Amino acid sequence: MRTLRRFFQRLRSWTTAREDEERLRVEIEAHIALQTDENMRAGLSAEEARRQAVCTFGPVEAVKETYREHRGLPSIEIGVRMALGATPRDAVAMVLRGALGLIPLGLVLGLPLTLAAGRFLGHQLYGMNPYNPVVVLTAVAALGLSAFFASLIPALRASRISPVDALRAD
Amino acid sequence: MLLVGNPMKSKTDVLQGTLTLMVLKTLDVLEPLHGYGIARRIQQISGDILNVNQGTLYPVLLKLEQEGSIASYWGVSENNRKARFYRLTRGGRKQLRAETQSWEQTAAIIGRFFTAKAEDLG
């Protein structure tokens, strides 16, 4: 259940990435404006107040970079495990397990739906066998294989995580 | 001045893991509050020793919201600026309680290490 929730969370954060980044931009702008106001209350000129506010905030690009890192892998968890002696292979296995664990769930949901849809389509199309096992199995294999390769990329990235960086990044 | 969550990764960023807890506790006391207010509050409470680096504050806020611990909305600040206000959710309160407990436990254990003397082991 937790894997599933995390999966949807990550999925969601990918689809809203642009929105989130825009929000981050507006929020940083608001933050600097508030700091500028405070600096002006402290007696600085408008220009100087703004300049110091931007300085205090620090590099905006670095903030966005940190945000993008946060959106990615659960690197902290993998980092901790690697610090405790897990090998890069373990890290790959961990990410793959997370991704491939969703496949059985997809099958449980998908197969009954396929059969239900087949029943309906069988009436609509002439000469089509909706329960062709070869077609169904090929589809399952093809989708499973692409899921495997799709999760291999983040898995390999996970194996290169430095435990120290992962801990710092949280 | 100690930086919390410095993106430049200097060695002063030891306290990073505690930023989440500080954010939750701040909101527990002062919600609803905008990011700037949270940063200022943490700085004040620490007696100006901690300077929250926004490089991690805003990503942490976003992450906490995605995890359902806090909720946010656009509002207008005291001085008529558009700002995003944050408040704790019920899940966030639960998380705060759990994290407070685990923090106190950790602090107590470390404290015992400092006070333990050699003869205590005998």
Side-chain angles (χ1 to χ4, degrees):
Chain A
M1 214 50 225
R2 208 164 133 238
T3 326
L4 199 66
R5 214 183 62 197
R6 223 188 272 163
F7 171 77
F8 280 117
Q9 217 172 65
R10 205 158 311 145
L11 200 69
R12 204 193 135 269
S13 77
W14 273 112
T15 53
T16 60
R18 186 173 294 180
E19 218 173 283
D20 287 349
E21 224 161 286
E22 170 62 14
R23 178 177 140 185
L24 206 62
R25 196 189 62 74
V26 178
E27 264 203 287
I28 291 172
E29 197 39 59
H31 184 105
I32 291 174
L34 283 166
Q35 178 83 63
T36 305
D37 286 350
E38 193 165 316
N39 288 350
M40 278 172 75
R41 273 201 302 278
L44 292 175
S45 73
E47 203 178 318
E48 183 59 15
R50 165 104 193 152
R51 201 189 62 78
Q52 282 198 12
V54 172
C55 269
T56 317
F57 191 86
V60 172
E61 270 317 303
V63 174
K64 289 186 178 159
E65 200 48 53
T66 320
Y67 161 68
R68 285 186 204 114
E69 276 171 30
H70 267 285
R71 218 182 46 213
L73 290 164
S75 52
I76 179 105
E77 201 180 327
I78 298 167
V80 167
R81 277 165 199 245
M82 292 193 40
L84 294 173
T87 62
R89 249 180 80 177
D90 295 332
V92 172
M94 198 179 127
V95 176
L96 279 184
R97 254 201 312 277
L100 297 183
L102 291 166
I103 292 180
L105 185 90
L107 287 180
V108 168
L109 290 175
L111 282 180
L113 279 173
T114 309
L115 295 181
R119 238 177 107 96
F120 172 71
L121 283 175
H123 292 303
Q124 306 284 312
L125 297 167
Y126 175 74
M128 191 185 109
N129 176 9
Y131 308 116
N132 187 340
V134 178
V135 171
V136 172
L137 285 181
T138 311
V140 167
L143 290 175
L145 218 64
S146 31
F148 175 77
F149 281 113
S151 42
L152 206 60
I153 297 163
L156 288 176
R157 203 184 306 153
S159 69
R160 286 196 300 267
I161 287 175
S162 142
V164 178
D165 285 347
L167 287 172
R168 284 227 184 98
D170 193 41
Chain B
M1 196 176 270
L2 207 55
L3 284 169
V4 180
N6 187 348
M8 293 308 169
K9 299 197 170 154
S10 74
K11 55 185 173 186
T12 48
D13 51 11
V14 277
L15 282 158
Q16 276 182 355
T18 57
L19 183 57
T20 307
L21 186 52
M22 286 192 248
V23 167
L24 290 176
K25 188 63 205 171
T26 302
L27 287 177
D28 185 40
V29 179
L30 286 177
E31 69 178 356
L33 196 61
H34 43 69
Y36 180 73
I38 296 171
R40 292 291 289 160
R41 168 82 178 177
I42 293 175
Q43 204 174 342
Q44 279 164 6
I45 292 283
S46 72
D48 280 337
I49 297 169
L50 294 180
N51 184 16
V52 177
N53 193 299
Q54 287 78 33
T56 38
L57 177 64
Y58 286 99
V60 161
L61 286 172
L62 203 60
K63 197 171 126 204
L64 280 171
E65 182 166 356
Q66 280 166 0
E67 287 168 1
S69 303
I70 59 177
S72 69
Y73 58 92
W74 287 114
V76 178
S77 73
E78 324 68 87
N79 47 1
N80 275 325
R81 295 272 187 198
K82 185 185 174 191
R84 198 150 181 104
F85 284 80
Y86 294 88
R87 60 175 184 75
L88 281 181
T89 61
R90 234 168 49 189
R93 272 176 220 292
K94 228 166 85 182
Q95 192 191 346
L96 175 61
R97 272 198 298 275
E99 292 214 18
T100 306
Q101 207 172 17
S102 118
W103 175 258
E104 278 167 354
Q105 204 170 18
T106 311
I109 291 169
I110 299 295
R112 256 178 270 161
F113 271 92
F114 283 132
T115 52
K117 294 180 184 69
E119 56 265 34
D120 291 347
L121 296 171

